Amino acid sequence: VQLQASGGGSVQAGGSLRLWCASSRRIYSSNIVGWFRQAPGKEREFVAAIRWGTGIRYYEDSVRGRFTISRDSAKNTAYLQMNSLNTDDAAVYYCVMGTQYGTTPNSYNYWGQGTLVTVSS
C-alpha cells in the first residue's frame, strides 16, 4: 500500500490549508486513516484519525475545533481541513493507515511521505 500525501504549503497565521491522502488501493471499513505531524526538534505527534467504516473521528486536543478529518470512500482519499492555523501547527504532516486506532506512531502500519506546512506570523 502506498499513501500519497499532498496539499502542504505556506500560509499566514489564521489561514487555512487542506491536506489530502490518497491510497494506492481500496481502503477497507476496518481501516483507520490519520495524520501525524513532526516539527523540527520535536517528536512525531498524533493529529487526527478517522475510522473508515463508521466515520468516527479522533483529534488531538490542540487541533480539535480547528481541524476536520474526512473521507471519500469512492476516491480512497482522506482529507485534513486545517483552519485557524498558528505557528505551532507548522510541521511535516504524515498520512498513516492501520487497523487499530492509536495515538502513537507504532499504531499504524503504513506511512505516506510527509508534506510540509509552514505558518508565518
Side-chain angles (χ1 to χ4, degrees):
V1 176
Q2 290 187 329
L3 301 176
Q4 180 71 39
S6 303
S10 297
V11 65
Q12 288 192 326
S16 299
L17 280 175
R18 190 190 196 202
L19 308 182
W20 59 93
C21 171
S23 171
S24 62
R25 61 91 163 145
R26 176 188 170 191
I27 301 176
Y28 298 107
S29 60
S30 57
N31 286 131
I32 310 284
V33 178
W35 296 88
F36 279 73
R37 66 186 179 187
Q38 187 167 23
K42 294 186 177 181
E43 293 187 352
R44 199 165 290 190
E45 68 171 355
F46 171 79
V47 176
I50 186 168
R51 290 188 180 273
W52 208 254
T54 62
I56 294 175
R57 305 168 183 178
Y58 306 90
Y59 296 99
E60 193 269 332
D61 287 345
S62 70
V63 308
R64 187 176 290 112
R66 300 187 298 121
F67 291 11
T68 301
I69 189 169
S70 61
R71 72 198 194 291
D72 185 330
S73 297
K75 295 182 179 179
N76 294 308
T77 300
Y79 303 93
L80 186 68
Q81 177 67 41
M82 306 186 296
N83 298 329
S84 301
L85 285 160
N86 59 58
T87 54
D88 290 337
D89 298 316
V92 176
Y93 282 71
Y94 298 90
C95 175
V96 299
M97 184 166 68
T99 56
Q100 289 188 332
Y101 167 68
T103 59
T104 58
N106 60 11
S107 299
Y108 299 90
N109 307 99
Y110 302 102
W111 287 72
Q113 90 291 0
T115 185
L116 179 64
V117 172
T118 303
V119 183
S120 58
S121 58

